[in-house]
Amino acid sequence: MLYVIGLGLSDETDITVKGLEAVKKSERVYLEAYTSILTIGKERLESYYGKEVVIADREMVESDSDSILANADQIDVSFLVVGDPYGATTHTDLVIRARELNIPVKVIHNASIMNAVGACGLQLYNFGQTISIVFFTDTWRPDSFYDRIKENHVLGLHTLCLLDIKVKEQSIENMARGRLIYEPPRYMTVNQAVEQLLEIEENRKEGVCKPDSLAIGCARIGTDSQKIVAGTLQELLNVDFGGPLHSLVLVGSRMHEMEAEFVKEYAFNPESFNTIVKRDYVH
């Protein structure tokens, strides 16, 4: 059996009882380590599980999945995913590959940012499409996700923005020269995401991500150090959210009074927050 197991959002104790039982009986245990991160190292996982944990980087998962699936039709193998197993398409690919090899698959779910974002006070069924914001470079400044935000905006729905993670990435020069030298890990902050959104808005001028648009910055959701701040995009530019992982929610115009009341507790400036909510959001 191949077990694909969600680890939740924080540390080694967030695994479900069902997930832990599967890990303990597995002969090999892999930890997917590039679509998200835990707040702890793999040593803590190994101590808690009583098992060696093999770090599965992007190259292994995408190019060498056969090594993960080897003999999984005869033994139990666990593939651990931060959050929920279906939070990234890569894990869907692994399941499809296992099915092609007639390997039984069991998925064990857990909390992910896709549902835990409700901690910010906005109701989950008022969210539209989730989008990803990638790091800009000097030569590549993509803005296609703006169209998805606009579609949510037109419907008055909130948008969850997942922010870029760069782990075990090569520079263009090292890649061109075939040198396996990797850049230090980088995790996009709320501030960087806001800067990029405002730059796109300045170019597109469609009124979707204005400086006075309401948003909620979220950091380390599900951990003891989580931080949530609500305010205008302009206000969030200068908030220190601390270490990774960060995400950003763009507030939709169909904000409910109960949502506004809840979110107000996180307001960067409660007075201006109330004014903007009454003017542009809750009617």
Side-chain angles (χ1 to χ4, degrees):
M1 177 80 74
L2 171 68
Y3 291 97
V4 187
I5 302 170
L7 296 184
L9 293 167
S10 179
D11 58 31
E12 73 274 23
T13 63
D14 280 350
I15 192 171
T16 63
V17 174
K18 186 181 292 185
L20 184 58
E21 288 175 348
V23 168
K24 286 186 176 294
K25 68 179 183 178
S26 292
E27 291 197 26
R28 297 198 309 275
V29 180
Y30 297 91
L31 172 63
E32 185 270 281
Y34 66 89
T35 61
S36 190
I37 59 165
L38 286 175
T39 58
I40 58 167
K42 82 178 184 95
E43 296 77 17
R44 286 262 296 271
L45 296 181
E46 291 175 328
S47 175
Y48 193 71
Y49 301 154
K51 291 278 184 178
E52 179 186 358
V53 175
V54 177
I55 297 294
D57 59 20
R58 182 187 296 270
E59 293 168 13
M60 175 181 283
V61 177
E62 295 184 350
S63 305
D64 191 24
S65 61
D66 286 349
S67 67
I68 297 173
L69 298 175
N71 301 323
D73 56 339
Q74 302 168 41
I75 63 171
D76 290 328
V77 175
S78 285
F79 184 76
L80 310 180
V81 180
V82 178
D84 185 80
Y86 287 133
T89 55
T90 296
H91 314 132
T92 306
D93 292 341
L94 187 67
V95 170
I96 292 171
R97 178 66 178 142
R99 287 174 179 167
E100 290 173 346
L101 296 171
N102 295 315
I103 296 169
V105 177
K106 185 168 185 177
V107 174
I108 301 175
H109 294 282
N110 210 321
S112 77
I113 190 61
M114 300 288 282
N115 55 20
V117 72
C120 77
L122 299 178
Q123 295 164 2
L124 293 178
Y125 50 76
N126 288 336
F127 278 76
Q129 303 167 85
T130 297
I131 63 104
S132 296
I133 301 179
V134 300
F135 280 111
F136 280 175
T137 69
D138 291 340
T139 57
W140 189 56
R141 307 178 90 73
D143 65 356
S144 59
F145 55 79
Y146 184 94
D147 297 318
R148 307 287 81 75
I149 297 172
K150 184 179 179 181
E151 290 168 3
N152 290 344
H153 178 79
V154 169
L155 295 172
L157 299 174
H158 314 310
T159 302
L160 170 60
C161 306
L162 304 177
L163 309 188
D164 202 5
I165 295 172
K166 296 291 188 190
V167 178
K168 207 174 181 184
E169 296 274 338
Q170 291 175 275
S171 68
I172 294 174
E173 181 184 353
N174 284 328
M175 193 181 301
R177 294 176 180 273
R179 296 186 299 215
L180 294 179
I181 301 172
Y182 300 101
E183 301 292 292
R186 288 193 297 150
Y187 307 99
M188 184 180 285
T189 65
V190 168
N191 321 86
Q192 290 168 318
V194 170
E195 284 179 4
Q196 294 187 185
L197 284 173
L198 291 176
E199 179 180 320
I200 294 169
E201 181 61 51
E202 180 65 26
N203 293 332
R204 305 263 302 236
K205 293 183 169 58
E206 296 179 46
V208 176
C209 300
K210 300 178 294 184
D212 65 347
S213 297
L214 281 184
I216 306 171
C218 303
R220 300 172 304 284
I221 294 297
T223 73
D224 291 338
S225 67
Q226 77 173 25
K227 183 167 186 173
I228 302 172
V229 181
T232 65
L233 289 175
Q234 191 65 47
E235 287 172 337
L236 295 185
L237 268 178
N238 300 310
V239 176
D240 181 1
F241 285 90
L245 291 170
H246 293 189
S247 53
L248 177 67
V249 179
L250 305 174
V251 179
S253 60
R254 284 168 51 188
M255 191 183 200
H256 190 274
E257 288 181 9
M258 189 178 295
E259 291 178 301
E261 186 66 25
F262 195 121
V263 174
K264 185 171 66 175
E265 292 298 312
Y266 301 125
F268 177 82
N269 183 327
E271 189 173 324
S272 66
F273 176 83
N274 284 335
T275 300
I276 294 171
V277 165
K278 290 176 182 176
R279 186 189 71 200
D280 299 329
Y281 291 86
V282 174
H283 300 293

